[in-house]
């Protein structure tokens, strides 16, 4: 177990970060681990228009999950960790935490659907090994 700035904790095995925790103590896999085991989490897919926003760390708006290019692969309840994929891409680009159920997302089609916790090229992604 490693402690980092900003209340971030990590589970590290053989110097490789595998899981990280938020300040509420919930653990999530790193994207590198998720890329090795892509079916370990429920999946949601954003449309192409959302990709640049997700890659800058933005939370995911519901319309980006319910539009024509998006897919809700797995139905989940509120407060569920999810893998975020992108239209036309093979690997997940983010990991997040749902702020509403997928049923609510389909029903309301507005607001923030997923709080982004970790995304490609963020600080956690750049940590490949701890020494």
């Amino acid at each position: 177990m490693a402690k980092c700035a900003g209340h971030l904790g990590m589970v590290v095995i053989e110097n490789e970060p595998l899981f990280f925790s938020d300040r509420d103590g919930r653990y999530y896999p790193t994207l590198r681990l998720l890329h090795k085991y892509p079916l370990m989490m429920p999946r949601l897919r954003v449309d192409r228009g959302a990709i640049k926003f997700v890659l800058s760390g933005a939370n995911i708006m519901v319309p980006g999950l319910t539009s024509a290019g998006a897919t809700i692969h797995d139905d989940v309840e509120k407060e569920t960790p999810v893998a975020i994929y992108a239209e036309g891409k093979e690997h997940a680009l983010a990991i997040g935490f749902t702020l509403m159920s997928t049923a609510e997302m389909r029903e309301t089609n507005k607001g923030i659907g997923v709080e982004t916790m970790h995304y490609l090229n963020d600080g956690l992604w750049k940590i490949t090994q701890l020494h």
Side-chain angles (χ1 to χ4, degrees):
M1 179 67 111
K3 297 269 185 191
C4 303
H7 302 282
L8 178 70
M10 288 189 288
V11 174
V12 179
I13 297 177
E14 295 180 7
N15 296 326
E16 181 181 0
L18 298 178
F19 294 90
F20 67 97
S21 68
D22 61 14
R23 59 177 50 141
D24 293 329
R26 293 179 291 246
Y27 281 86
Y28 306 89
T30 63
L31 279 167
R32 291 185 192 283
L33 182 62
L34 182 62
H35 289 174
K36 291 177 186 175
Y37 303 99
L39 300 178
M40 71 186 303
M41 297 179 75
R43 299 173 302 143
L44 303 177
R45 186 177 72 191
V46 296
D47 62 22
R48 289 184 194 275
I51 295 172
K52 67 181 176 184
F53 298 105
V54 176
L55 291 177
S56 67
N59 289 329
I60 300 163
M61 304 302 290
V62 173
L65 294 166
T66 57
S67 67
T71 305
I72 295 176
H73 291 282
D74 300 301
D75 286 323
V76 298
E77 295 301 317
K78 179 179 179 178
E79 300 180 352
T80 301
V82 292
I84 304 298
Y85 287 78
E87 178 181 8
K89 304 297 180 190
E90 179 182 352
H91 295 289
L93 72 156
I95 292 172
F97 184 76
T98 57
L99 299 178
M100 61 179 77
S101 70
T102 50
E104 289 174 281
M105 291 179 199
R106 287 186 186 102
E107 186 179 310
T108 63
N109 200 30
K110 64 181 179 180
I112 299 171
V114 178
E115 180 180 342
T116 302
M117 305 296 293
H118 172 33
Y119 56 94
L120 288 176
N121 216 27
D122 69 3
L124 184 55
W125 174 260
K126 291 177 182 177
I127 300 172
T128 56
Q129 294 281 311
L130 292 176
H131 303 285

